[in-house]
Each structure stands twice: as structure tokens, then as C-alpha cells.
Amino acid sequence: FLKLKHKKIIIHSHDTYFCALIGQISKSKSCKHIHTFHTAHKLESNFINNLIYSRIKEKYFVSEFIYNKYISQFGKTEKQIILFPIDIPKEKVIFDSHKVKKVLFVGNFLDYKDPMTLIKAIETIKNKISLQVIMVGEGELKSKMEKYISNHNLKEIFRIIEPLEKKELEKYYLQSDVF
């Protein structure tokens, strides 16, 4: 929540069911509700979601894929896509072909996140560019990923770690070239 003195209250939500509560609170004209859609797996058209999502004043989507999933389930909405919420210093985006590129994957190790595609893609380019890949998360595909990495001699490139606290995770983002 953000309340500006003598201004509107801005409520930013991420969780779908928390939206239901916020939807009731934000009926006031002094309240603005914005919601960020991070994943597609909860985007199912049903009575409750239709009611919840219809009350959100602004919708943001972290990718084209999630936006398209929303459209397929709920119909057209104003398209606003945000790519990443952390400000990255300009010096971080300068391309240096001589150093090891650091790739960061953060998310659940589940089919709909498809971490195996990243592993296989990195495998195809490993001899063309120096890479270090850190995969942060947990989920049902973790053992499959570890086995694939081991069986394809990719241990030098990949490191899989458990979920991190926000402050620690931000350090990983800031040290990465691709995320």
C-alpha cells in the first residue's frame, strides 16, 4: 500500500486471492488498485476470477506469454507489460565478449516454467560462448534437471540453488548479464 498525503491510495497486488479483498477496499474513489500477473497457471476463467479481475483498475503482465494467456481466458484488456522491476545500472548492460556471461533463472522447477529448455539451449551454445548459469528455485523437475546436467557434462556451467530471500536474490540479479 502507498498512501500519498491528500492523494489517492495506490494498492499493488501480486496474489490473485488477495485481490478479492483489495477489490472491496479499492471501491473508494480515493483508491487505485494495480495488479501484476507473474504466472499463467492461475489464469483460469471461472466465476471467482472473473469477478476479481474485473475490479482491478490497472493490469500489468511480466511477459507477452502471460498477457496472451490472460486474453485467451478473459478477453481483451489494456496491454501493459513490464519486463523487470529492478533498476539495472547502465554499466551492467554493456556487452563484453571476453568475459564469462552470467545467466540467472529464478522460478519454480515445474513444467509450465520449462527450465529444461534453458538447460538444453545453453548446452547447444556452450562451445561458442563462456557461460555460468545459476538456477534458483525448487520443484518437481529438480532431480531431472540435476540428472541431465550431470549426464551431459554440464556441471562446470550450471549451479542449482534453493530459493533465496529478496535482498540476497537482488544481488544475484545485479551480478547477472542475462535473467
Side-chain angles (χ1 to χ4, degrees), residues 28-90:
S28 161
K29 296 220 185 278
S30 65
C31 219
K32 182 176 185 178
H33 178 200
I34 30 185
H35 182 78
T36 305
F37 293 87
H38 291 270
T39 61
H41 75 282
K42 291 183 182 177
L43 290 177
E44 296 173 6
S45 183
N46 59 47
F47 176 76
I48 293 173
N49 283 348
N50 289 339
L51 184 64
I52 292 170
Y53 296 150
S54 69
R55 295 176 182 218
I56 301 169
K57 293 188 173 125
E58 287 186 31
K59 300 172 184 82
Y60 293 89
F61 304 88
V62 297
S63 72
E64 233 6 275
F65 174 80
I66 295 168
Y67 171 73
N68 290 333
K69 173 74 173 181
Y70 181 94
I71 295 306
S72 74
Q73 295 292 313
F74 302 101
K76 200 80 171 146
T77 188
E78 189 173 318
K79 180 178 178 180
Q80 295 187 25
I81 297 175
I82 54 172
L83 296 178
F84 196 72
I86 294 177
D87 289 330
I88 305 297
K90 281 188 175 181

Side-chain angles (χ1 to χ4, degrees), residues 164-172 174:
L164 301 167
E165 294 293 323
K166 185 178 179 179
K167 275 290 188 197
E168 189 65 23
L169 187 57
E170 190 171 307
K171 292 176 191 174
Y172 279 82
L174 292 172

